[in-house]
Amino acid sequence: MLVLAATPIGRVGDAPPRLAHELATADVVAAEDTRRLRRLTSDLGIEVGGRVVSYFEGNEQARTPALLEALLAGDRVVLVTDAGMPSVSDPGYRLVAAAVEHDLRVTAVPGPSAVLTALAVSGLPVDRFCFEGFLPRKAGERARRLDRLRDEERTMVFFEAPHRTAALLSAMADALGDDRPGAVCRELTKTYEEVRRGGLRELAAWAADGVRGEVTVVVAGAEAAPEVGDDPESLAAAVADAEEDGMTRKEAIAAVAKRAGVPKRVVYDVVHVR
């Protein structure tokens, strides 16, 4: 059996009760950082009885076959990362996929999650959300990703390194709007926990002075676009409104076609015939 075990994102007291038992009784513990694992087990007052191996981004692909062999041999393999749930922007997906492919059981020890914690304290809508993880580091690639998220109506959750947080927020303001509501959640559950809320441009200005610690960014989704009728007059008016809001003609035609549920060619013909 493969056990994905969530670990505290800050306070060791948040560790789920099952975590200590799983670590102490596992045949194999695969850890993102074996030094952090030793600190965690010391804090929990336990010792790992099985074999400990490192399993991080740099060796994940190479080490997965050996861990799969252990699973196939009947071992109970427990996977832990530095914080939170394995495979969520952390190592683990390859091993889970391999285990599933071989019809092996995969279970989890539920526990702390920076994604859900940040979402809950952000003050933004939580009924529908999506997790985008880390955006590309290169400015152009990041801008293209954000452009695709401009009309996303669900609340969005992102991870970012502290030294890149200001650049991320500035790029978000450029793509999504200066006043789009957001929240920067820093050092969640730790001593210096801070949640900074405001418009994206305001948050970017705040972050320009430097941000420390683990960072999770939550951004409000776009307001739902009004429905568009499929008659020529409604389509043409919707395209004109979109262009006034800064879209190119091509972008406006595509957006209106999607909202109206008609082919782009229909909207194109309406606009250009008129």
Side-chain angles (χ1 to χ4, degrees), residues 6-16 19 36 39-40 43-44 81-85 90 111-115 117-118 186-194 213-216:
T7 55
I9 60 175
R11 300 175 184 271
V12 71
D14 293 335
L19 177 61
R36 288 200 182 195
R39 287 198 296 270
L40 175 62
D43 289 340
L44 294 174
T81 53
D82 291 346
M85 179 60 71
D90 274 331
S113 165
V115 177
T117 302
R186 187 181 70 83
E187 293 291 87
L188 286 169
T189 77
K190 300 177 184 177
T191 302
Y192 297 104
E193 175 181 280
E194 179 181 16
E214 300 290 333
V215 174
T216 305

Side-chain angles (χ1 to χ4, degrees), residues 13-26:
D14 293 335
R18 263 184 61 204
L19 177 61
H21 173 75
E22 292 290 354
L23 290 173
T25 59

